[in-house]
């Protein structure tokens, strides 16, 4: 990449959403007088009697978890969406609303309260992938479910209410805004080039090898050229798959392996339980054809300079658009210099 552009302010284009991000690499030279200390990580218990996600414990809604030994999912006791909506659609001049229905589920990654994805065995993460596939298929097959969003919020600063290793799945009647934006650009590129937008992008990234973090036979983890968050990353399948349900047994293991490699790098960066929000974007489940779609998993971590210093979306970013200082290339370099062995296992 042109070294000059990495020294001066410029904008980068997000091919998936059609949005721009301001990059200000010169600002990394400004003095920093904030905190830079490492986070003191306390050893966690494998079982917490007060945790509502541990096996055999009572949940906040009154249900009791089974004594599960692997992954486990259940309908959220306090869901953001409900299967039925008594309200009706509403429109009055410029005021408009419509009923929304859906099903929200919690996915426990492991019965071990002390673990996170980077600390789990690859075979156990594979079981998480298998459960994601199962839920995507079963929820998506329901008549009033047209999109299934799989995601994880890791860490208190990302709004995670419980440290037990878990994620969530929100499935709903409408197709969310982010998916509609990406669908538009996937389709425009497909109609023009008769190829996958993300597949062609991945080929270019592999040739340049400037933002690649890890890869195996079936998946690549990289820092997107248009990344907004300091250490934002994306996992892309090398094959043009529309959804995770298309993965075979070998590819499930490969997906689990690349997730483990990426999240170990994250934890090693500041030697902490690295927080992030991650999510899988894939085709809607409305029984329509989406040959242009290429599924992918994104990670949005907030940490910037240390285990305690995070990036906030404030000021210009709230009123104008996203901005970052550290470039995607520098972020990739920082992560690539780290060990693939978790710091707690050294």
């Amino acid at each position: 990449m042109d070294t000059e552009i990495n020294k001066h302010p410029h904008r980068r284009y997000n091919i998936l959403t059609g949005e721009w991000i301001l990059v200000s690499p010169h600002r990394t030279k400004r003095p920093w007088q904030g905190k830079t200390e490492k986070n003191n990580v306390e050893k966690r218990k494998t079982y917490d009697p007060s945790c509502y996600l541990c096996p055999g414990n009572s949940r906040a809604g009154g249900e009791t978890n089974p004594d599960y030994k692997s992954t486990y999912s259940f309908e959220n006791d306090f869901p953001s969406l409900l299967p039925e909506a008594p309200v009706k659609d509403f429109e009055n001049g410029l005021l408009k609303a419509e009923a929304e229905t859906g099903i929200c589920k919690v996915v426990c990654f492991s019965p071990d309260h002390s673990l996170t994805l980077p600390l789990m065995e690859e075979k156990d993460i594979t079981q998480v992938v298998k459960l994601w596939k199962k839920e995507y298929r079963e929820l998506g097959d329901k008549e009033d479910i047209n999109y299934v969003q799989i995601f994880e919020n890791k860490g208190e600063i990302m709004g995670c209410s419980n440290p037990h290793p878990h994620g969530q799945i929100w499935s709903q009647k409408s197709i969310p805004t982010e998916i509609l934006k990406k669908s538009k650009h996937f389709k425009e590129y497909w109609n023009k080039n008769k190829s996958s937008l993300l597949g062609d992008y991945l080929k270019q990234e592999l040739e340049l090898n400037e933002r690649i973090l890890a890869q195996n036979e079936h998946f690549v983890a990289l820092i997107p050229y248009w990344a907004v968050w300091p250490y934002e990353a994306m996992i892309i399948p090398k094959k043009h798959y529309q959804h995770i349900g298309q993965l075979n047994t070998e590819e499930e293991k490969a997906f689990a392996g690349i997730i483990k490699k990426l999240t170990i790098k994250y934890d090693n960066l500041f030697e902490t339980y690295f927080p992030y929000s991650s999510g899988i974007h894939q085709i809607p489940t409305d029984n329509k054809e989406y040959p242009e779609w290429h599924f992918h998993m994104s990670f949005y971590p907030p940490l910037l300079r240390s285990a305690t210093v995070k990036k906030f979306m404030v000021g210009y970013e709230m009123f104008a658009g996203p901005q970052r200082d550290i470039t995607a290339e520098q972020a990739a370099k920082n992560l690539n210099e780290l060990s693939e062995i978790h710091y707690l296992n050294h």
Side-chain angles (χ1 to χ4, degrees), residues 186 196-203 206 214-222 234-248 251-252 254-255 258 280-282 293-298:
F186 271 130
S196 162
L197 171 61
L198 207 50
D200 288 351
Y201 167 72
L202 181 57
K203 291 176 185 176
L206 289 170
Q215 66 172 304
N216 54 35
E217 185 178 353
H218 301 289
F219 288 89
V220 177
L222 52 79
M234 180 185 290
I235 294 175
I236 308 171
K238 291 182 177 180
K239 289 184 180 178
H240 180 197
Y241 286 152
Q242 284 77 42
H243 58 84
I244 59 172
Q246 295 170 298
L247 299 179
N248 61 32
E251 291 163 340
E252 291 170 355
F255 193 17
I258 208 84
I280 299 174
H281 274 173
Q282 50 199 329
W293 252 89
H294 197 134
F295 100 79
H296 50 285
M297 184 175 189
S298 295

Side-chain angles (χ1 to χ4, degrees), residues 138-282:
E138 292 182 355
L139 289 168
D141 283 345
K142 295 182 182 298
E143 183 179 356
D144 290 332
I145 298 298
N146 293 315
Y147 190 74
V148 179
Q149 181 60 64
I150 298 168
F151 66 97
E152 178 196 3
N153 292 324
K154 179 187 173 189
E156 290 182 4
I157 63 175
M158 299 309 293
C160 183
S161 60
N162 190 308
H164 193 101
H166 74 285
Q168 296 185 58
I169 302 176
W170 291 13
S171 57
Q172 61 192 99
K173 185 176 181 179
S174 69
I175 300 174
T177 302
E178 288 300 304
I179 303 306
L180 292 175
K181 286 192 293 188
K182 290 187 176 184
S183 290
K184 175 178 181 292
H185 290 87
F186 271 130
K187 191 166 187 177
E188 287 177 351
Y189 189 88
W190 179 266
N191 290 341
K192 181 180 179 181
N193 301 282
K194 294 298 182 286
S195 60
S196 162
L197 171 61
L198 207 50
D200 288 351
Y201 167 72
L202 181 57
K203 291 176 185 176
Q204 186 173 357
E205 285 285 21
L206 289 170
E207 290 175 1
L208 293 171
N209 197 29
E210 293 178 332
R211 289 167 290 274
I212 303 297
L213 300 175
Q215 66 172 304
N216 54 35
E217 185 178 353
H218 301 289
F219 288 89
V220 177
L222 52 79
I223 304 284
Y225 178 71
W226 53 83
V228 171
W229 296 94
Y231 290 95
E232 178 178 331
M234 180 185 290
I235 294 175
I236 308 171
K238 291 182 177 180
K239 289 184 180 178
H240 180 197
Y241 286 152
Q242 284 77 42
H243 58 84
I244 59 172
Q246 295 170 298
L247 299 179
N248 61 32
T249 301
E250 181 182 334
E251 291 163 340
E252 291 170 355
K253 295 177 181 177
F255 193 17
I258 208 84
I259 289 172
K260 182 174 175 67
K261 282 187 177 181
L262 173 60
T263 53
I264 284 177
K265 291 273 191 180
Y266 275 163
D267 277 15
N268 286 349
L269 182 62
F270 299 126
E271 295 192 355
T272 188
Y273 291 115
F274 199 83
Y276 58 74
S277 280
S278 67
I280 299 174
H281 274 173
Q282 50 199 329

Side-chain angles (χ1 to χ4, degrees), residues 20-186:
W20 291 86
I21 171 178
L22 175 63
V23 184
S24 310
H26 62 291
R27 278 168 51 88
T28 57
K29 297 178 182 179
R30 74 189 193 279
W32 173 251
Q33 295 180 325
K35 297 180 180 179
T36 57
E37 76 275 6
K38 293 180 180 178
N39 190 28
N40 292 321
V41 178
E42 296 182 3
K43 185 174 177 59
R44 298 182 181 181
K45 297 177 287 187
T46 58
Y47 169 75
D48 184 349
S50 66
C51 170
Y52 60 83
L53 296 181
C54 278
N57 287 1
S58 295
R59 299 203 302 267
E63 299 290 328
T64 299
N65 295 323
D67 188 22
Y68 64 95
K69 304 299 182 183
S70 181
T71 56
Y72 168 60
S73 64
F74 61 90
E75 287 198 25
N76 199 318
D77 297 315
F78 301 96
S80 297
L81 295 163
L82 298 171
E84 297 180 0
V87 299
K88 297 180 179 179
D89 294 352
F90 172 83
E91 187 166 3
N92 180 9
L94 297 176
L95 309 179
K96 186 176 182 179
E98 62 181 28
E100 180 66 301
T101 57
I103 300 171
C104 297
K105 303 194 78 171
V106 175
V107 178
C108 295
F109 297 157
S110 169
D112 190 330
H113 184 82
S114 68
L115 298 179
T116 56
L117 286 174
L119 293 171
M120 290 172 60
E121 296 292 333
E122 188 175 308
K123 63 180 179 61
D124 296 324
I125 303 175
T126 302
Q127 294 306 309
V128 176
V129 173
K130 288 180 180 293
L131 186 54
W132 284 341
K133 284 180 59 176
K134 177 177 179 290
E135 293 289 357
Y136 174 76
R137 180 180 65 253
E138 292 182 355
L139 289 168
D141 283 345
K142 295 182 182 298
E143 183 179 356
D144 290 332
I145 298 298
N146 293 315
Y147 190 74
V148 179
Q149 181 60 64
I150 298 168
F151 66 97
E152 178 196 3
N153 292 324
K154 179 187 173 189
E156 290 182 4
I157 63 175
M158 299 309 293
C160 183
S161 60
N162 190 308
H164 193 101
H166 74 285
Q168 296 185 58
I169 302 176
W170 291 13
S171 57
Q172 61 192 99
K173 185 176 181 179
S174 69
I175 300 174
T177 302
E178 288 300 304
I179 303 306
L180 292 175
K181 286 192 293 188
K182 290 187 176 184
S183 290
K184 175 178 181 292
H185 290 87
F186 271 130

